[in-house]
Amino acid sequence: MEASLNVPDEMTLLARARALDDEALAEIHDRYYEPIYRYVLFRVSNQQVAEDLASEVFIRLLSALRDHTAPQNTLRGWLYGVAFRVVNDYHRKQYRREEVQLTDGIASNTSNPLETVSQRLSWKEVRAAMSELTEAQREVIALRFGQEMPIRDVAQLLGKTEGAVKQLQARAIATLARTLKETV
C-alpha cells in the first residue's frame, strides 16, 4: 500500500506540480505509479494493458497541469478517479471489439506446468465471478482488496457513505462466494 501524504504535504506537492516542478512531478510518479498500476491491473487482469492504462493516467495529469485544470484539493483522489475512467473507457472499447490474444506458450515462474495451468484457471474463474458483480461492487472490491484501502478512503473516493461501501462489499463477497462455489 502506498505511503499516503498528509493533506498539507499533498497540497504542497500539488502546488509544486502545478508550477511544473520536475522534482514534484517525479515524486508524484514515484509515489503513485505503483498503486495506480496495481489498481488498474486488478481491474483489467493484463500486465501490458495495465502498464499502458496506468501511464495514461499520468499523461492525463500532465495535460491537466499544463491546461491549468489539475486537481485543486486531492491528488490521490484525482488520480484514482482518472484511473477509474481510463479503465471504464478501455472496457467500453473492448466490449465493442472482440480481441483474441495469441501466445506461443504459457509463461511461468514455476517448473510445474500443471501448477501454472491451475493458477491460470483459478484466476480465470475469479475474473468470471467478478463479471457477475455490479460496476460499483467491482470498484469497491478493487479498492478494498486490490489497493488495501480503508473503507473511509473508499467511501470518500467514490462519494459514498461508509455504510454504503460496507454494503457493496458484503454483497460483492457473497456474490463471489456463491459464484465460485458453483464452479467448484
Side-chain angles (χ1 to χ4, degrees):
M1 186 163 163
E2 85 254 25
S4 61
L5 295 170
N6 61 40
V7 175
D9 290 342
E10 187 173 278
M11 294 302 289
T12 302
L13 183 60
L14 195 50
R16 289 177 43 218
R18 281 196 294 271
L20 299 178
D21 176 333
D22 289 340
E23 288 180 18
L25 296 173
E27 185 175 338
I28 289 169
H29 187 270
D30 291 347
R31 181 174 301 277
Y32 293 105
Y33 180 83
E34 186 65 28
I36 293 294
Y37 166 77
R38 286 192 322 262
Y39 166 75
V40 171
L41 180 61
F42 190 83
R43 299 277 320 279
V44 300
S45 304
N46 180 309
Q47 286 182 317
Q48 292 165 332
V49 170
E51 289 171 3
D52 291 345
L53 296 179
S55 295
E56 176 65 25
V57 171
F58 288 91
I59 289 169
R60 289 187 186 187
L61 174 63
L62 286 174
S63 293
L65 290 168
R66 287 192 183 112
D67 298 342
H68 304 289
T69 58
Q72 299 299 311
N73 300 327
T74 170
L75 179 59
R76 179 179 184 222
W78 190 90
L79 289 170
Y80 278 103
V82 170
F84 173 79
R85 289 187 293 281
V86 165
V87 168
N88 284 347
D89 290 346
Y90 168 78
H91 285 302
R92 248 189 309 281
K93 289 176 187 172
Q94 293 307 303
Y95 178 75
R96 290 186 189 128
R97 95 185 130 105
E98 188 67 30
E99 251 183 47
V100 177
Q101 186 174 5
L102 302 176
T103 60
D104 290 333
I106 298 175
S108 172
N109 292 335
T110 91
S111 60
N112 183 346
L114 184 59
E115 183 180 321
T116 301
V117 171
S118 174
Q119 287 172 347
R120 287 201 176 210
L121 286 176
S122 296
W123 183 242
K124 185 177 181 179
E125 291 166 355
V126 170
R127 279 189 301 213
M130 290 285 288
S131 71
E132 298 294 318
L133 302 179
T134 66
E135 182 61 34
Q137 289 171 336
R138 281 193 298 268
E139 192 64 23
V140 167
I141 294 297
L143 293 170
R144 287 283 293 131
F145 300 106
Q147 293 304 302
E148 300 176 355
M149 277 189 185
I151 287 177
R152 175 181 35 86
D153 291 355
V154 173
Q156 182 181 11
L157 188 62
L158 299 179
K160 298 187 181 298
T161 66
E162 289 183 30
V165 169
K166 288 176 184 177
Q167 188 74 12
L168 284 166
Q169 178 180 317
R171 287 182 178 156
I173 290 171
T175 300
L176 287 173
R178 183 177 57 252
T179 305
L180 290 171
K181 186 176 183 180
E182 291 169 4
T183 62
V184 173

Short mmCIF file of all heavy atoms in Angstrom, two decimals, residues 46-106:
data_model
loop_
_atom_site.label_atom_id
_atom_site.label_comp_id
_atom_site.label_asym_id
_atom_site.label_seq_id
_atom_site.Cartn_x
_atom_site.Cartn_y
_atom_site.Cartn_z
N ASN A 46 -4.39 -7.79 -17.11
CA ASN A 46 -3.40 -7.94 -18.17
C ASN A 46 -2.29 -6.93 -17.88
O ASN A 46 -2.54 -5.73 -17.91
CB ASN A 46 -4.05 -7.67 -19.53
CG ASN A 46 -3.08 -7.80 -20.67
OD1 ASN A 46 -1.99 -7.21 -20.67
ND2 ASN A 46 -3.47 -8.55 -21.69
N GLN A 47 -1.06 -7.44 -17.64
CA GLN A 47 0.03 -6.57 -17.22
C GLN A 47 0.35 -5.49 -18.25
O GLN A 47 0.54 -4.33 -17.88
CB GLN A 47 1.30 -7.39 -16.96
CG GLN A 47 1.23 -8.18 -15.68
CD GLN A 47 2.52 -8.94 -15.44
OE1 GLN A 47 3.09 -9.52 -16.35
NE2 GLN A 47 2.97 -8.92 -14.20
N GLN A 48 0.43 -5.85 -19.51
CA GLN A 48 0.78 -4.86 -20.53
C GLN A 48 -0.28 -3.78 -20.66
O GLN A 48 0.04 -2.59 -20.75
CB GLN A 48 1.03 -5.55 -21.88
CG GLN A 48 2.27 -6.41 -21.84
CD GLN A 48 2.33 -7.37 -23.02
OE1 GLN A 48 1.33 -7.79 -23.57
NE2 GLN A 48 3.56 -7.72 -23.39
N VAL A 49 -1.54 -4.19 -20.65
CA VAL A 49 -2.63 -3.23 -20.74
C VAL A 49 -2.61 -2.34 -19.48
O VAL A 49 -2.79 -1.12 -19.58
CB VAL A 49 -3.98 -3.94 -20.90
CG1 VAL A 49 -5.14 -2.98 -20.75
CG2 VAL A 49 -4.05 -4.65 -22.25
N ALA A 50 -2.40 -2.94 -18.32
CA ALA A 50 -2.37 -2.18 -17.07
C ALA A 50 -1.25 -1.13 -17.10
O ALA A 50 -1.44 0.00 -16.66
CB ALA A 50 -2.19 -3.10 -15.88
N GLU A 51 -0.08 -1.50 -17.62
CA GLU A 51 1.02 -0.53 -17.73
C GLU A 51 0.63 0.63 -18.63
O GLU A 51 0.87 1.79 -18.30
CB GLU A 51 2.27 -1.22 -18.28
CG GLU A 51 2.93 -2.17 -17.31
CD GLU A 51 4.03 -3.00 -17.93
OE1 GLU A 51 4.35 -2.81 -19.12
OE2 GLU A 51 4.58 -3.86 -17.22
N ASP A 52 0.01 0.31 -19.77
CA ASP A 52 -0.41 1.36 -20.70
C ASP A 52 -1.46 2.28 -20.07
O ASP A 52 -1.37 3.50 -20.18
CB ASP A 52 -0.99 0.75 -21.99
CG ASP A 52 0.06 0.06 -22.83
OD1 ASP A 52 1.27 0.29 -22.60
OD2 ASP A 52 -0.33 -0.72 -23.73
N LEU A 53 -2.44 1.68 -19.41
CA LEU A 53 -3.51 2.48 -18.82
C LEU A 53 -3.00 3.31 -17.63
O LEU A 53 -3.42 4.46 -17.46
CB LEU A 53 -4.67 1.59 -18.40
CG LEU A 53 -5.39 0.86 -19.54
CD1 LEU A 53 -6.52 -0.01 -18.99
CD2 LEU A 53 -5.91 1.81 -20.59
N ALA A 54 -2.12 2.74 -16.82
CA ALA A 54 -1.55 3.50 -15.70
C ALA A 54 -0.73 4.67 -16.23
O ALA A 54 -0.81 5.78 -15.69
CB ALA A 54 -0.69 2.60 -14.82
N SER A 55 -0.01 4.45 -17.31
CA SER A 55 0.75 5.55 -17.92
C SER A 55 -0.19 6.63 -18.44
O SER A 55 0.09 7.82 -18.34
CB SER A 55 1.63 5.03 -19.05
OG SER A 55 2.61 4.17 -18.54
N GLU A 56 -1.33 6.20 -18.99
CA GLU A 56 -2.32 7.15 -19.49
C GLU A 56 -2.82 8.06 -18.37
O GLU A 56 -3.07 9.24 -18.59
CB GLU A 56 -3.50 6.40 -20.14
CG GLU A 56 -4.63 7.27 -20.60
CD GLU A 56 -4.25 8.23 -21.72
OE1 GLU A 56 -3.30 7.95 -22.48
OE2 GLU A 56 -4.93 9.28 -21.85
N VAL A 57 -2.96 7.52 -17.17
CA VAL A 57 -3.39 8.33 -16.03
C VAL A 57 -2.41 9.47 -15.80
O VAL A 57 -2.80 10.63 -15.60
CB VAL A 57 -3.52 7.46 -14.75
CG1 VAL A 57 -3.75 8.31 -13.51
CG2 VAL A 57 -4.65 6.45 -14.93
N PHE A 58 -1.12 9.17 -15.86
CA PHE A 58 -0.11 10.20 -15.60
C PHE A 58 0.04 11.16 -16.79
O PHE A 58 0.36 12.33 -16.59
CB PHE A 58 1.22 9.54 -15.19
CG PHE A 58 1.11 8.97 -13.82
CD1 PHE A 58 0.71 7.65 -13.63
CD2 PHE A 58 1.33 9.75 -12.69
CE1 PHE A 58 0.55 7.13 -12.36
CE2 PHE A 58 1.18 9.23 -11.42
CZ PHE A 58 0.78 7.92 -11.25
N ILE A 59 -0.23 10.69 -17.98
CA ILE A 59 -0.24 11.58 -19.14
C ILE A 59 -1.39 12.59 -18.98
O ILE A 59 -1.23 13.78 -19.25
CB ILE A 59 -0.38 10.77 -20.45
CG1 ILE A 59 0.93 10.02 -20.71
CG2 ILE A 59 -0.74 11.68 -21.62
CD1 ILE A 59 0.83 8.99 -21.82
N ARG A 60 -2.52 12.10 -18.51
CA ARG A 60 -3.66 13.00 -18.29
C ARG A 60 -3.37 14.00 -17.18
O ARG A 60 -3.82 15.15 -17.23
CB ARG A 60 -4.92 12.20 -18.00
CG ARG A 60 -5.44 11.48 -19.22
CD ARG A 60 -6.78 10.84 -18.98
NE ARG A 60 -7.19 10.04 -20.11
CZ ARG A 60 -8.37 9.47 -20.23
NH1 ARG A 60 -9.28 9.63 -19.28
NH2 ARG A 60 -8.66 8.76 -21.30
N LEU A 61 -2.61 13.56 -16.17
CA LEU A 61 -2.22 14.51 -15.11
C LEU A 61 -1.36 15.61 -15.70
O LEU A 61 -1.58 16.79 -15.43
CB LEU A 61 -1.48 13.80 -13.98
CG LEU A 61 -0.90 14.72 -12.90
CD1 LEU A 61 -2.01 15.48 -12.18
CD2 LEU A 61 -0.06 13.94 -11.90
N LEU A 62 -0.37 15.23 -16.51
CA LEU A 62 0.48 16.25 -17.13
C LEU A 62 -0.32 17.20 -18.00
O LEU A 62 -0.11 18.42 -17.98
CB LEU A 62 1.59 15.59 -17.95
CG LEU A 62 2.72 14.95 -17.16
CD1 LEU A 62 3.67 14.20 -18.09
CD2 LEU A 62 3.47 15.99 -16.35
N SER A 63 -1.25 16.66 -18.77
CA SER A 63 -2.10 17.51 -19.61
C SER A 63 -2.92 18.46 -18.75
O SER A 63 -3.04 19.65 -19.07
CB SER A 63 -3.04 16.66 -20.46
OG SER A 63 -2.31 15.93 -21.40
N ALA A 64 -3.48 17.95 -17.68
CA ALA A 64 -4.28 18.79 -16.79
C ALA A 64 -3.43 19.88 -16.14
O ALA A 64 -3.88 21.02 -15.97
CB ALA A 64 -4.95 17.93 -15.72
N LEU A 65 -2.20 19.52 -15.78
CA LEU A 65 -1.30 20.53 -15.20
C LEU A 65 -0.97 21.62 -16.21
O LEU A 65 -0.98 22.82 -15.89
CB LEU A 65 -0.02 19.86 -14.70
CG LEU A 65 -0.18 18.97 -13.47
CD1 LEU A 65 1.08 18.13 -13.25
CD2 LEU A 65 -0.50 19.80 -12.23
N ARG A 66 -0.71 21.23 -17.44
CA ARG A 66 -0.40 22.21 -18.50
C ARG A 66 -1.61 23.07 -18.85
O ARG A 66 -1.47 24.25 -19.17
CB ARG A 66 0.11 21.50 -19.74
CG ARG A 66 1.50 20.96 -19.58
CD ARG A 66 2.10 20.50 -20.91
NE ARG A 66 3.40 19.95 -20.68
CZ ARG A 66 3.71 18.67 -20.84
NH1 ARG A 66 2.80 17.82 -21.27
NH2 ARG A 66 4.93 18.24 -20.59
N ASP A 67 -2.80 22.47 -18.83
CA ASP A 67 -4.03 23.19 -19.18
C ASP A 67 -4.61 23.96 -18.00
O ASP A 67 -5.68 24.56 -18.13
CB ASP A 67 -5.09 22.22 -19.70
CG ASP A 67 -4.67 21.50 -20.96
OD1 ASP A 67 -3.73 21.97 -21.65
OD2 ASP A 67 -5.29 20.46 -21.27
N HIS A 68 -3.96 23.87 -16.86
CA HIS A 68 -4.42 24.51 -15.62
C HIS A 68 -5.78 23.98 -15.19
O HIS A 68 -6.60 24.72 -14.65
CB HIS A 68 -4.45 26.04 -15.77
CG HIS A 68 -3.12 26.61 -16.17
ND1 HIS A 68 -2.04 26.64 -15.32
CD2 HIS A 68 -2.69 27.12 -17.35
CE1 HIS A 68 -1.00 27.16 -15.95
NE2 HIS A 68 -1.36 27.47 -17.18
N THR A 69 -6.03 22.70 -15.44
CA THR A 69 -7.27 22.05 -14.98
C THR A 69 -6.93 20.94 -13.99
O THR A 69 -7.74 20.05 -13.78
CB THR A 69 -8.05 21.46 -16.18
OG1 THR A 69 -7.21 20.52 -16.86
CG2 THR A 69 -8.50 22.54 -17.13
N ALA A 70 -5.76 21.01 -13.41
CA ALA A 70 -5.28 19.98 -12.48
C ALA A 70 -6.12 19.99 -11.21
O ALA A 70 -6.81 20.98 -10.91
CB ALA A 70 -3.82 20.22 -12.14
N PRO A 71 -6.05 18.91 -10.45
CA PRO A 71 -6.82 18.85 -9.20
C PRO A 71 -6.42 19.99 -8.27
O PRO A 71 -5.26 20.40 -8.24
CB PRO A 71 -6.43 17.49 -8.63
CG PRO A 71 -5.13 17.14 -9.26
CD PRO A 71 -5.17 17.77 -10.62
N GLN A 72 -7.39 20.47 -7.52
CA GLN A 72 -7.13 21.56 -6.60
C GLN A 72 -6.95 21.09 -5.16
O GLN A 72 -6.23 21.71 -4.39
CB GLN A 72 -8.29 22.58 -6.65
CG GLN A 72 -8.47 23.20 -8.02
CD GLN A 72 -7.26 23.98 -8.48
OE1 GLN A 72 -6.72 24.80 -7.74
NE2 GLN A 72 -6.81 23.73 -9.69
N ASN A 73 -7.60 19.96 -4.81
CA ASN A 73 -7.61 19.55 -3.40
C ASN A 73 -6.94 18.23 -3.11
O ASN A 73 -6.24 18.10 -2.13
CB ASN A 73 -9.06 19.48 -2.89
CG ASN A 73 -9.75 20.81 -3.00
OD1 ASN A 73 -9.11 21.84 -2.85
ND2 ASN A 73 -11.03 20.80 -3.28
N THR A 74 -7.20 17.23 -3.93
CA THR A 74 -6.70 15.90 -3.61
C THR A 74 -6.07 15.24 -4.82
O THR A 74 -6.77 14.91 -5.78
CB THR A 74 -7.80 14.99 -3.02
OG1 THR A 74 -7.30 13.66 -2.95
CG2 THR A 74 -9.06 15.00 -3.83
N LEU A 75 -4.81 15.08 -4.78
CA LEU A 75 -4.08 14.45 -5.86
C LEU A 75 -4.42 12.96 -5.94
O LEU A 75 -4.73 12.44 -7.01
CB LEU A 75 -2.57 14.64 -5.64
CG LEU A 75 -1.65 14.02 -6.67
CD1 LEU A 75 -1.94 14.57 -8.06
CD2 LEU A 75 -0.20 14.28 -6.29
N ARG A 76 -4.38 12.29 -4.82
CA ARG A 76 -4.63 10.84 -4.79
C ARG A 76 -6.03 10.53 -5.32
O ARG A 76 -6.21 9.65 -6.16
CB ARG A 76 -4.47 10.34 -3.36
CG ARG A 76 -4.73 8.86 -3.19
CD ARG A 76 -4.51 8.49 -1.73
NE ARG A 76 -4.66 7.06 -1.54
CZ ARG A 76 -5.30 6.52 -0.54
NH1 ARG A 76 -5.84 7.30 0.40
NH2 ARG A 76 -5.38 5.22 -0.42
N GLY A 77 -7.02 11.22 -4.83
CA GLY A 77 -8.39 11.00 -5.28
C GLY A 77 -8.55 11.30 -6.76
O GLY A 77 -9.25 10.58 -7.48
N TRP A 78 -7.90 12.35 -7.23
CA TRP A 78 -7.98 12.71 -8.65
C TRP A 78 -7.36 11.61 -9.50
O TRP A 78 -7.94 11.21 -10.51
CB TRP A 78 -7.26 14.04 -8.88
CG TRP A 78 -7.47 14.63 -10.23
CD1 TRP A 78 -8.46 15.48 -10.62
CD2 TRP A 78 -6.66 14.41 -11.41
NE1 TRP A 78 -8.33 15.79 -11.95
CE2 TRP A 78 -7.23 15.16 -12.45
CE3 TRP A 78 -5.53 13.65 -11.66
CZ2 TRP A 78 -6.70 15.17 -13.74
CZ3 TRP A 78 -4.99 13.67 -12.94
CH2 TRP A 78 -5.57 14.41 -13.96
N LEU A 79 -6.19 11.11 -9.10
CA LEU A 79 -5.53 10.06 -9.87
C LEU A 79 -6.38 8.79 -9.93
O LEU A 79 -6.53 8.18 -10.99
CB LEU A 79 -4.15 9.74 -9.27
CG LEU A 79 -3.08 10.81 -9.47
CD1 LEU A 79 -1.85 10.49 -8.62
CD2 LEU A 79 -2.71 10.96 -10.93
N TYR A 80 -6.97 8.38 -8.80
CA TYR A 80 -7.82 7.20 -8.81
C TYR A 80 -9.09 7.43 -9.62
O TYR A 80 -9.59 6.53 -10.29
CB TYR A 80 -8.17 6.74 -7.39
CG TYR A 80 -7.08 5.90 -6.77
CD1 TYR A 80 -6.21 6.43 -5.83
CD2 TYR A 80 -6.92 4.57 -7.14
CE1 TYR A 80 -5.20 5.66 -5.26
CE2 TYR A 80 -5.91 3.79 -6.58
CZ TYR A 80 -5.07 4.34 -5.64
OH TYR A 80 -4.07 3.58 -5.09
N GLY A 81 -9.61 8.64 -9.57
CA GLY A 81 -10.78 8.96 -10.39
C GLY A 81 -10.48 8.85 -11.87
O GLY A 81 -11.27 8.30 -12.65
N VAL A 82 -9.31 9.37 -12.28
CA VAL A 82 -8.90 9.26 -13.68
C VAL A 82 -8.66 7.80 -14.04
O VAL A 82 -9.07 7.33 -15.11
CB VAL A 82 -7.65 10.12 -13.97
CG1 VAL A 82 -7.07 9.82 -15.34
CG2 VAL A 82 -7.99 11.60 -13.85
N ALA A 83 -8.03 7.05 -13.14
CA ALA A 83 -7.78 5.62 -13.40
C ALA A 83 -9.11 4.89 -13.59
O ALA A 83 -9.23 4.05 -14.49
CB ALA A 83 -6.98 5.01 -12.25
N PHE A 84 -10.09 5.21 -12.78
CA PHE A 84 -11.41 4.60 -12.91
C PHE A 84 -11.99 4.87 -14.30
O PHE A 84 -12.48 3.96 -14.98
CB PHE A 84 -12.33 5.17 -11.82
CG PHE A 84 -13.77 4.75 -11.94
CD1 PHE A 84 -14.17 3.50 -11.52
CD2 PHE A 84 -14.71 5.62 -12.47
CE1 PHE A 84 -15.50 3.10 -11.64
CE2 PHE A 84 -16.03 5.23 -12.58
CZ PHE A 84 -16.43 3.98 -12.17
N ARG A 85 -11.90 6.13 -14.76
CA ARG A 85 -12.44 6.49 -16.08
C ARG A 85 -11.64 5.84 -17.21
O ARG A 85 -12.22 5.38 -18.21
CB ARG A 85 -12.50 8.00 -16.24
CG ARG A 85 -13.60 8.63 -15.37
CD ARG A 85 -13.79 10.11 -15.62
NE ARG A 85 -12.66 10.93 -15.22
CZ ARG A 85 -12.39 11.29 -13.98
NH1 ARG A 85 -13.17 10.89 -12.99
NH2 ARG A 85 -11.36 12.05 -13.70
N VAL A 86 -10.32 5.79 -17.07
CA VAL A 86 -9.48 5.17 -18.10
C VAL A 86 -9.82 3.68 -18.24
O VAL A 86 -9.94 3.17 -19.36
CB VAL A 86 -7.98 5.38 -17.77
CG1 VAL A 86 -7.09 4.48 -18.58
CG2 VAL A 86 -7.59 6.84 -17.99
N VAL A 87 -9.98 3.01 -17.13
CA VAL A 87 -10.33 1.58 -17.16
C VAL A 87 -11.72 1.39 -17.78
O VAL A 87 -11.91 0.49 -18.60
CB VAL A 87 -10.26 0.96 -15.74
CG1 VAL A 87 -10.89 -0.42 -15.71
CG2 VAL A 87 -8.81 0.88 -15.28
N ASN A 88 -12.66 2.23 -17.40
CA ASN A 88 -14.00 2.11 -17.98
C ASN A 88 -13.97 2.35 -19.48
O ASN A 88 -14.65 1.65 -20.24
CB ASN A 88 -14.98 3.07 -17.30
CG ASN A 88 -15.40 2.56 -15.95
OD1 ASN A 88 -15.17 1.41 -15.59
ND2 ASN A 88 -16.02 3.42 -15.16
N ASP A 89 -13.20 3.35 -19.93
CA ASP A 89 -13.05 3.59 -21.38
C ASP A 89 -12.47 2.37 -22.07
O ASP A 89 -12.92 1.96 -23.14
CB ASP A 89 -12.15 4.80 -21.64
CG ASP A 89 -12.80 6.12 -21.24
OD1 ASP A 89 -14.03 6.14 -21.01
OD2 ASP A 89 -12.06 7.12 -21.16
N TYR A 90 -11.46 1.77 -21.44
CA TYR A 90 -10.84 0.57 -22.01
C TYR A 90 -11.87 -0.56 -22.14
O TYR A 90 -11.97 -1.20 -23.19
CB TYR A 90 -9.67 0.12 -21.13
CG TYR A 90 -9.16 -1.26 -21.47
CD1 TYR A 90 -8.35 -1.47 -22.57
CD2 TYR A 90 -9.54 -2.36 -20.70
CE1 TYR A 90 -7.91 -2.75 -22.91
CE2 TYR A 90 -9.10 -3.63 -21.02
CZ TYR A 90 -8.28 -3.82 -22.12
OH TYR A 90 -7.86 -5.08 -22.45
N HIS A 91 -12.64 -0.79 -21.09
CA HIS A 91 -13.64 -1.87 -21.12
C HIS A 91 -14.72 -1.59 -22.17
O HIS A 91 -15.18 -2.50 -22.84
CB HIS A 91 -14.27 -2.10 -19.75
CG HIS A 91 -13.37 -2.82 -18.80
ND1 HIS A 91 -12.85 -4.07 -19.06
CD2 HIS A 91 -12.89 -2.47 -17.58
CE1 HIS A 91 -12.10 -4.46 -18.05
NE2 HIS A 91 -12.11 -3.51 -17.14
N ARG A 92 -15.11 -0.34 -22.31
CA ARG A 92 -16.09 0.01 -23.33
C ARG A 92 -15.57 -0.30 -24.72
O ARG A 92 -16.27 -0.88 -25.55
CB ARG A 92 -16.44 1.50 -23.24
CG ARG A 92 -17.85 1.77 -22.78
CD ARG A 92 -18.25 3.22 -22.91
NE ARG A 92 -17.34 4.18 -22.33
CZ ARG A 92 -17.26 4.48 -21.03
NH1 ARG A 92 -18.04 3.86 -20.18
NH2 ARG A 92 -16.42 5.38 -20.61
N LYS A 93 -14.31 0.04 -24.97
CA LYS A 93 -13.70 -0.25 -26.28
C LYS A 93 -13.58 -1.76 -26.50
O LYS A 93 -13.78 -2.24 -27.61
CB LYS A 93 -12.33 0.41 -26.39
CG LYS A 93 -12.40 1.91 -26.52
CD LYS A 93 -11.02 2.51 -26.54
CE LYS A 93 -11.10 4.02 -26.52
NZ LYS A 93 -9.78 4.63 -26.35
N GLN A 94 -13.23 -2.50 -25.45
CA GLN A 94 -13.09 -3.95 -25.58
C GLN A 94 -14.43 -4.61 -25.84
O GLN A 94 -14.51 -5.59 -26.55
CB GLN A 94 -12.45 -4.55 -24.32
CG GLN A 94 -11.02 -4.14 -24.12
CD GLN A 94 -10.17 -4.41 -25.34
OE1 GLN A 94 -10.08 -5.53 -25.81
NE2 GLN A 94 -9.55 -3.38 -25.86
N TYR A 95 -15.47 -4.05 -25.26
CA TYR A 95 -16.80 -4.60 -25.45
C TYR A 95 -17.22 -4.46 -26.92
O TYR A 95 -17.86 -5.32 -27.48
CB TYR A 95 -17.80 -3.87 -24.54
CG TYR A 95 -19.21 -4.34 -24.71
CD1 TYR A 95 -19.62 -5.56 -24.19
CD2 TYR A 95 -20.15 -3.57 -25.39
CE1 TYR A 95 -20.92 -6.01 -24.34
CE2 TYR A 95 -21.45 -4.00 -25.54
CZ TYR A 95 -21.83 -5.22 -25.02
OH TYR A 95 -23.12 -5.65 -25.17
N ARG A 96 -16.79 -3.35 -27.53
CA ARG A 96 -17.15 -3.10 -28.92
C ARG A 96 -16.37 -3.96 -29.90
O ARG A 96 -16.83 -4.26 -30.98
CB ARG A 96 -16.93 -1.63 -29.26
CG ARG A 96 -17.93 -0.74 -28.57
CD ARG A 96 -17.79 0.69 -29.01
NE ARG A 96 -18.63 1.52 -28.17
CZ ARG A 96 -18.23 2.59 -27.54
NH1 ARG A 96 -16.99 3.01 -27.68
NH2 ARG A 96 -19.05 3.27 -26.79
N ARG A 97 -15.13 -4.30 -29.56
CA ARG A 97 -14.34 -5.13 -30.48
C ARG A 97 -13.73 -6.27 -29.69
O ARG A 97 -13.02 -6.08 -28.71
CB ARG A 97 -13.29 -4.28 -31.20
CG ARG A 97 -11.93 -4.26 -30.60
CD ARG A 97 -11.03 -3.28 -31.34
NE ARG A 97 -10.42 -2.46 -30.33
CZ ARG A 97 -9.17 -2.59 -29.95
NH1 ARG A 97 -8.37 -3.42 -30.53
NH2 ARG A 97 -8.69 -1.85 -28.99
N GLU A 98 -14.03 -7.44 -30.16
CA GLU A 98 -13.53 -8.65 -29.52
C GLU A 98 -12.07 -8.83 -29.89
O GLU A 98 -11.71 -8.73 -31.06
CB GLU A 98 -14.35 -9.86 -29.98
CG GLU A 98 -14.07 -11.13 -29.24
CD GLU A 98 -14.47 -11.09 -27.78
OE1 GLU A 98 -15.42 -10.38 -27.44
OE2 GLU A 98 -13.81 -11.77 -27.00
N GLU A 99 -11.22 -9.08 -28.92
CA GLU A 99 -9.80 -9.30 -29.16
C GLU A 99 -9.43 -10.71 -28.76
O GLU A 99 -9.91 -11.21 -27.75
CB GLU A 99 -8.96 -8.33 -28.30
CG GLU A 99 -8.29 -7.28 -29.10
CD GLU A 99 -7.43 -6.40 -28.21
OE1 GLU A 99 -6.66 -6.93 -27.38
OE2 GLU A 99 -7.52 -5.19 -28.37
N VAL A 100 -8.58 -11.33 -29.55
CA VAL A 100 -8.07 -12.65 -29.21
C VAL A 100 -6.58 -12.50 -29.01
O VAL A 100 -5.87 -12.01 -29.89
CB VAL A 100 -8.36 -13.66 -30.34
CG1 VAL A 100 -7.74 -15.00 -30.01
CG2 VAL A 100 -9.85 -13.78 -30.58
N GLN A 101 -6.10 -12.89 -27.85
CA GLN A 101 -4.68 -12.79 -27.55
C GLN A 101 -3.99 -14.09 -27.94
O GLN A 101 -4.42 -15.17 -27.54
CB GLN A 101 -4.49 -12.51 -26.06
CG GLN A 101 -3.05 -12.25 -25.71
CD GLN A 101 -2.92 -11.83 -24.26
OE1 GLN A 101 -3.88 -11.83 -23.50
NE2 GLN A 101 -1.73 -11.45 -23.87
N LEU A 102 -2.96 -13.98 -28.76
CA LEU A 102 -2.20 -15.14 -29.19
C LEU A 102 -0.93 -15.25 -28.36
O LEU A 102 -0.26 -14.25 -28.11
CB LEU A 102 -1.83 -15.01 -30.67
CG LEU A 102 -2.99 -14.85 -31.63
CD1 LEU A 102 -2.48 -14.63 -33.05
CD2 LEU A 102 -3.86 -16.10 -31.60
N THR A 103 -0.61 -16.47 -27.93
CA THR A 103 0.62 -16.69 -27.19
C THR A 103 1.28 -17.95 -27.71
O THR A 103 0.61 -18.85 -28.22
CB THR A 103 0.37 -16.85 -25.68
OG1 THR A 103 -0.49 -17.97 -25.48
CG2 THR A 103 -0.25 -15.61 -25.07
N ASP A 104 2.59 -18.00 -27.60
CA ASP A 104 3.34 -19.18 -28.02
C ASP A 104 3.37 -20.25 -26.95
O ASP A 104 3.64 -21.41 -27.22
CB ASP A 104 4.79 -18.81 -28.38
CG ASP A 104 4.85 -17.99 -29.65
OD1 ASP A 104 3.94 -18.13 -30.49
OD2 ASP A 104 5.80 -17.21 -29.80
N GLY A 105 3.15 -19.87 -25.74
CA GLY A 105 3.20 -20.82 -24.64
C GLY A 105 2.73 -20.16 -23.38
O GLY A 105 2.25 -19.04 -23.40
N ILE A 106 2.89 -20.83 -22.30
CA ILE A 106 2.49 -20.31 -21.01
C ILE A 106 3.75 -19.88 -20.28
O ILE A 106 4.61 -20.71 -19.98
CB ILE A 106 1.73 -21.37 -20.18
CG1 ILE A 106 0.46 -21.77 -20.91
CG2 ILE A 106 1.44 -20.85 -18.78
CD1 ILE A 106 -0.29 -22.90 -20.24
#
